[in-house]
Amino acid sequence: MSDTSSGLRRARSLVPDAFVSPRRTKLLRILGTSVFVLLTGWCLWAFDFSPMRLVEGATRFGSVASFMFPPHVWQSWTEWQEILKGLGETVAMAFMGTLLGAIIAFPLAFLGARNIMPVSWFRLGIRRGFDALRAVEQLILALVFIRAFGLGPLAGILAIAVSEIGTFSKLFAEAIENTSKKPVDGVKASGAGKLQTVRFAVLPQALPVILSIILYNFESNTRSGTILGIVGAGGIGFLLADRISAYRWPEAWTIIFLIVFMVYLIDGFSGFLRKHIIGKDDRTRS
């Protein structure tokens, strides 16, 4: 212990600046802490935060949650048909939107991949286009398409598809860029052209990741389709919003349980496909 302390004293005497934070670093720390504290305080004030409001809200939520159990069971087949049709519309909306987005994004991804498109200014322009599409939330797109095409699942499909074009294009391009160069060099050495190199060296490496991304986003879009339905894009979200607005909480909770169960089923089905189609190359997020 004494050897350690004596070594530290000797090091301090030799290089004292190494044990003292520079004045600029201290000022930056104080400035950063001050900005964080002030921003947090302003947000709490602007959003009218108070402990009493939290207590009051928790009490109200408790009264709403009390309708959760026992779950409501519809007695007539007509009501069940309405609910099942809404669930089916949500899944179909997510499927079609994901499919259209993937079909359009797949060729665009090659234009945004560094190892495929060498012209930097063109590639960067394409990438910024991807960012612009991803910057607009699906909910905003749904409201725009509802205004253009009317209420119903078509607006939700288009909203999901346009949003997924930007997301898929970016993720597909990154998957293409992250492929190994060794198969590419091997295919080129055999005399293959540009298109043949992409077909036999790049695609076999990128396709498992691309399929994983599509399956993951399909599951995510099923959840998003519920929110889109609340604003009028059809599906189970429309029925859920109708029950909530009418204060029919037992039915609303049952619909929420059915949505959760539906997402579980889709997640299990996606996992099955990833395991049996993609196999060991699956790198999706779980």
Side-chain angles (χ1 to χ4, degrees):
M1 198 62 186
S2 58
D3 294 339
T4 302
S5 59
S6 61
L8 286 173
R9 285 196 299 269
R10 186 162 178 252
R12 285 177 185 274
S13 62
L14 293 174
V15 282
D17 292 340
F19 295 87
V20 179
S21 297
R23 182 175 298 177
R24 181 181 178 185
T25 302
K26 291 182 178 179
L27 291 175
L28 288 176
R29 288 176 181 173
I30 294 173
L31 179 62
T33 304
S34 301
V35 170
F36 174 77
V37 172
L38 291 174
L39 182 60
T40 303
W42 180 84
C43 289
L44 294 176
W45 173 79
F47 299 151
D48 194 20
F49 173 85
S50 67
M52 289 304 298
R53 189 177 181 187
L54 287 179
V55 172
E56 184 181 355
T59 304
R60 291 178 180 175
F61 178 76
S63 63
V64 171
S66 64
F67 295 103
M68 189 182 302
F69 297 105
H72 178 81
V73 179
W74 291 278
Q75 301 299 320
S76 67
W77 173 241
T78 304
E79 292 177 310
W80 275 109
Q81 277 185 317
E82 182 186 28
I83 300 299
L84 294 177
K85 180 183 177 183
L87 289 170
E89 280 187 356
T90 298
V91 175
M93 188 165 60
F95 173 77
M96 288 302 300
T98 305
L99 180 63
L100 289 175
I103 290 174
I104 298 174
F106 185 72
L108 294 177
F110 290 94
L111 301 178
R114 186 182 296 106
N115 55 341
I116 303 296
M117 175 53 64
V119 184
S120 59
W121 64 267
F122 182 77
R123 184 182 68 251
L124 291 176
I126 293 293
R127 287 281 192 138
R128 298 296 75 79
F130 300 162
D131 295 339
L133 289 176
R134 291 188 300 112
V136 184
E137 181 59 38
Q138 285 184 2
L139 192 61
I140 306 300
L141 291 171
L143 292 173
V144 173
F145 286 124
I146 286 172
R147 180 68 176 176
F149 297 96
L151 298 172
L154 178 60
I157 291 172
L158 294 176
I160 293 173
V162 171
S163 176
E164 288 302 285
I165 290 173
T167 302
F168 280 149
S169 297
K170 180 181 183 296
L171 296 177
F172 292 176
E174 291 178 352
I176 294 169
E177 287 180 348
N178 291 329
T179 55
S180 175
K181 293 183 179 180
K182 292 181 180 179
V184 175
D185 294 337
V187 172
K188 285 183 178 179
S190 66
K194 185 72 174 179
L195 291 178
Q196 291 174 319
T197 302
V198 173
R199 167 64 182 84
F200 294 103
V202 177
L203 279 182
Q205 299 182 72
L207 278 180
V209 183
I210 289 174
L211 289 174
S212 295
I213 293 169
I214 293 173
L215 290 173
Y216 176 83
N217 280 42
F218 169 56
E219 175 195 336
S220 177
N221 287 329
T222 303
R223 298 190 297 267
S224 301
T226 303
I227 306 300
L228 300 183
I230 291 177
V231 299
I236 194 64
F238 180 79
L239 300 177
L240 177 61
D242 177 67
R243 267 57 176 186
I244 292 176
S245 62
Y247 297 100
R248 295 158 66 178
W249 289 110
E251 293 185 55
W253 279 114
T254 301
I255 292 174
I256 291 173
F257 292 149
L258 290 174
I259 292 171
V260 173
F261 180 70
M262 178 181 65
V263 172
Y264 282 163
L265 289 179
I266 293 174
D267 179 61
F269 180 67
S270 298
F272 174 81
L273 289 180
R274 287 194 293 266
K275 181 178 179 181
H276 288 81
I277 297 178
I278 301 169
K280 295 181 180 180
D281 289 327
D282 179 23
R283 303 186 185 100
T284 190
R285 296 158 288 180
S286 59

